Amino acid sequence: MIIFPAIDLRDGKCVRLIQGDFDKETVYSDDVQATALKWQACGAKFLHVVDLDGARAGLPQNLDAIKKILDAVKIPIEVGGGIRTLDDMERLLDLGVRRVILGSVAVENLDLVAQAVKRFGDRVVVGIDARNGFVAVHGWEKSSAVKVDDLAKKIVAAGVTTIIYTDISKDGMLSGVNAEIFATLAKLSGAQIVASGGVKSIEDIRALKAVESDGVVGVIVGKAIYSGSLDLSAALRELAT
């Protein structure tokens, strides 16, 4: 299992939101390179970067900050937020991003997802962000009538092998994870699932590690490592045992 430290970008700064609410923002650093290097030094093998401005605007907005991260670290990064076209994907991949995360476009244009997989292979993953079993889109500001299970099956049929599943109700809340919902989606869809939302402590890492055999291959950690409720180095050591 891979632990992905999250770097959420807004106006070029590293921030965290509560349940995706742009009015509930905490700025953790205006030096994204230092933040990325900190998590790399802790032993992280992969970084999860979200362009929050891009998610809201519908096209990438923080390319300069992403470039700074790429220049600073030696580990791969994945980027999501506002990626809606093949050109958007190609621009980020050419910049050095290891893989791109498609979100809202997967709900609105599955044909594009299939085209992206055909062109870029497993460098394309899809993020499903959900409230109460239904998919949220456009920076989590809008809910859809699409059920998570139905979308996951369609995404896998389009060729996607990895899904990042975010439980919005728990995001930024430090309320603990529900490991079973991630395991259930993995078994139902046949996709590899990266869990996101609610991680608070080492117990959450252990709970997710216990369902790794079901197809939960990674976990994104955000507020927990910024607030100090989870020690990233200790969490990585836990997975190594």
Side-chain angles (χ1 to χ4, degrees), residues 131-177:
R131 288 190 183 93
N132 302 316
F134 289 90
V135 179
V137 294
H138 300 294
W140 299 355
E141 294 188 310
K142 297 179 182 179
S143 294
S144 74
V146 179
K147 292 183 177 180
V148 170
D149 296 353
D150 293 339
L151 179 60
K153 291 175 183 176
K154 291 177 180 178
I155 287 168
V156 170
V160 173
T161 57
T162 302
I163 293 172
I164 298 170
Y165 181 27
T166 300
D167 183 355
I168 296 174
S169 68
K170 291 181 174 293
D171 188 74
M173 299 298 289
L174 297 179
S175 57
V177 298

Side-chain angles (χ1 to χ4, degrees), residues 86-130:
L86 291 171
D87 285 345
D88 290 340
M89 300 174 217
E90 188 166 35
R91 184 180 306 115
L92 285 163
L93 294 173
D94 285 348
L95 199 63
V97 170
R98 175 66 58 87
R99 61 187 191 182
V100 292
I101 305 160
L102 307 184
S104 300
V105 71
V107 179
E108 299 162 352
N109 190 349
L110 268 172
D111 286 343
L112 180 64
V113 175
Q115 292 174 41
V117 172
K118 186 175 181 180
R119 186 165 171 181
F120 304 117
D122 63 4
R123 298 183 75 185
V124 176
V125 301
V126 169
I128 297 181
D129 307 321

Side-chain angles (χ1 to χ4, degrees), residues 3-239:
I3 296 179
F4 297 81
I7 298 178
D8 290 358
L9 301 173
R10 191 176 184 195
D11 296 327
K13 299 175 182 179
C14 176
V15 308
R16 295 300 296 169
L17 307 181
I18 294 177
Q19 296 181 328
D21 190 336
F22 282 79
D23 293 325
K24 297 178 180 177
E25 173 192 271
T26 300
V27 177
Y28 281 102
S29 175
D30 58 5
D31 188 339
V32 294
Q33 286 187 316
T35 301
L37 286 167
K38 177 181 179 181
W39 302 139
Q40 178 178 262
C42 287
K45 303 300 184 185
F46 216 123
L47 295 178
H48 174 81
V49 178
V50 178
D51 182 348
L52 293 173
D53 300 302
R56 211 174 194 183
L59 71 164
Q61 298 287 303
N62 280 284
L63 291 175
D64 287 347
I66 292 167
K67 182 67 164 57
K68 287 179 181 178
I69 293 170
L70 286 166
D71 288 344
V73 300
K74 296 179 180 179
I75 58 176
I77 79 168
E78 61 183 16
V79 173
I83 303 170
R84 306 285 169 82
T85 69
L86 291 171
D87 285 345
D88 290 340
M89 300 174 217
E90 188 166 35
R91 184 180 306 115
L92 285 163
L93 294 173
D94 285 348
L95 199 63
V97 170
R98 175 66 58 87
R99 61 187 191 182
V100 292
I101 305 160
L102 307 184
S104 300
V105 71
V107 179
E108 299 162 352
N109 190 349
L110 268 172
D111 286 343
L112 180 64
V113 175
Q115 292 174 41
V117 172
K118 186 175 181 180
R119 186 165 171 181
F120 304 117
D122 63 4
R123 298 183 75 185
V124 176
V125 301
V126 169
I128 297 181
D129 307 321
R131 288 190 183 93
N132 302 316
F134 289 90
V135 179
V137 294
H138 300 294
W140 299 355
E141 294 188 310
K142 297 179 182 179
S143 294
S144 74
V146 179
K147 292 183 177 180
V148 170
D149 296 353
D150 293 339
L151 179 60
K153 291 175 183 176
K154 291 177 180 178
I155 287 168
V156 170
V160 173
T161 57
T162 302
I163 293 172
I164 298 170
Y165 181 27
T166 300
D167 183 355
I168 296 174
S169 68
K170 291 181 174 293
D171 188 74
M173 299 298 289
L174 297 179
S175 57
V177 298
N178 180 351
E180 192 55 38
I181 66 166
F182 301 113
T184 298
L185 186 63
K187 290 182 283 189
L188 179 72
S189 66
Q192 295 185 322
I193 301 297
V194 176
S196 175
V199 172
K200 177 183 180 180
S201 66
I202 198 75
E203 284 73 23
D204 293 311
I205 301 299
R206 290 172 183 149
L208 290 166
K209 184 180 180 182
V211 294
E212 184 176 8
S213 61
D214 292 320
V216 181
V217 299
V219 55
I220 294 166
V221 292
K223 189 173 182 179
I225 57 174
Y226 287 93
S227 68
S229 71
L230 176 69
D231 182 292
L232 179 59
S233 297
L236 289 164
R237 288 195 299 271
E238 176 73 22
L239 290 187

